[in-house]
Amino acid sequence: MPTLKQLARRPNPLTGGHSACAGCGFPQAIRLVLMSIEEPVVVAGATGCMEVTTTTYPNTAWNVPFIHNAFENAAATISGVEAAYKALVRRGKINKPIRFVAFGGDGGTYDIGLQALSGAAERGHRFLYVCYDNQAYMNTGIQRSGATPFGASTTTTPAGEVVPGKQQRRKDMAAIMAAHNIPYVAQTTIAHWQDLTRKVQRAMQVDGPAYLNVLAPCRLGWGTDPAMTIHLCELAADTCAWPLFEVDHGKWKVTYTPKTKLPIEEYLKPQERFRHVFQDSTGGLLAAIQKDVDEQWQALLARAGQT
């Protein structure tokens, strides 16, 4: 695995000067993922904050080949590119290894793009799909998505006197991808760069589809200080609200276990989207969120045989 100094010396795949918000999590995710891959890459990107802020015509922030897709078809597009590459290799037109990566937000992955991703995984194309997960449709007005956690307030699940935020759990997207029996699935954050780098390198080694779920906070939708982005990811892992794990050829493994599991309120308090949780005088909503996190953490440990 490369050191941080070695990573820093590699060409930057995403230049500065794009128009993402200060403190946005996705630029770090893109840089860490692509700088972890030594071979040339072709990237497909679904419509979303990433695409809008990095490809404002006539400019681009991308230093690698980049294909813009509609919201729902990044996985379909990159699988077509990968198939074309294999055909050219068979004909002797290309003789060097090229890797294929698709990026999508949680809306374009958990919801709108799920059918294209599922199909590409089922067909067995060799590519890495990266979901930069900011847990709502941030680009179009902070509407809830399938990734929005239980209790979070969004513009379509506003917390008020009747409904205290979103009432459903977020989809277990990693488990959904693992159920496709693809070679590699993992979850990490932009704060855990060594964990992320190692998982990308492992994804490049397997012969088939790989999926990486990366927590990438949105300071606008979460209502947080931009300077807290990385620390929020650390708190997400230390409270087990966002566990770090991998599923390598069907074998589940937790890759980070906090020395001291922090209470969920440490992670929720800095976020405006959970402000109503601390205005509930009964404490019932906070207790329900803690119970949900604990149950899912125990279920993960059981899957990994680490109870």
Side-chain angles (χ1 to χ4, degrees), residues 209-294:
Y211 175 83
L212 186 61
N213 220 26
V214 183
L215 185 65
C218 169
R219 66 93 173 168
L220 187 65
W222 292 23
T224 53
D225 184 339
M228 285 199 68
T229 295
I230 297 299
H231 184 49
L232 281 169
C233 289
E234 293 171 338
L235 290 172
D238 287 337
T239 57
C240 298
W242 188 266
L244 276 55
F245 62 89
E246 64 184 358
V247 189
D248 194 336
H249 291 85
K251 185 176 181 180
W252 290 71
K253 179 183 178 182
V254 175
T255 58
Y256 176 76
T257 302
K259 292 179 181 177
T260 302
K261 182 172 175 289
L262 298 178
I264 192 62
E265 61 188 272
E266 298 288 326
Y267 172 56
L268 302 186
K269 265 189 177 177
Q271 304 182 48
E272 187 74 15
R273 63 178 177 160
F274 290 109
R275 182 179 59 177
H276 59 286
V277 172
F278 300 97
Q279 295 172 340
D280 173 19
S281 58
T282 68
L285 185 54
L286 180 61
I289 295 174
Q290 182 69 69
K291 180 174 181 290
D292 184 50
V293 168
D294 291 344

Side-chain angles (χ1 to χ4, degrees), residues 38 72 101 103 220 242 264 299:
E38 296 187 42
E72 72 279 10
V101 181
F103 289 99
L220 187 65
W242 188 266
I264 192 62

Side-chain angles (χ1 to χ4, degrees), residues 14 18-21 24-31 34 43-56 59-62 66-71 74 101-106 109 129-132 134 138-139 216:
L14 189 72
H18 55 72
S19 56
C21 299
C24 177
F26 85 72
Q28 292 94 318
I30 291 171
R31 289 196 180 100
L34 296 183
V43 173
T47 293
C49 291
M50 175 198 67
E51 173 266 325
V52 169
T53 59
T54 62
T55 61
T56 307
N59 303 308
T60 178
W62 293 86
F66 177 85
I67 307 170
H68 168 223
N69 306 267
F71 221 146
V101 181
F103 289 99
D106 50 283
T109 304
Y129 189 99
V130 181
C131 174
Y132 61 97
N134 53 33
M138 302 304 185
N139 183 49

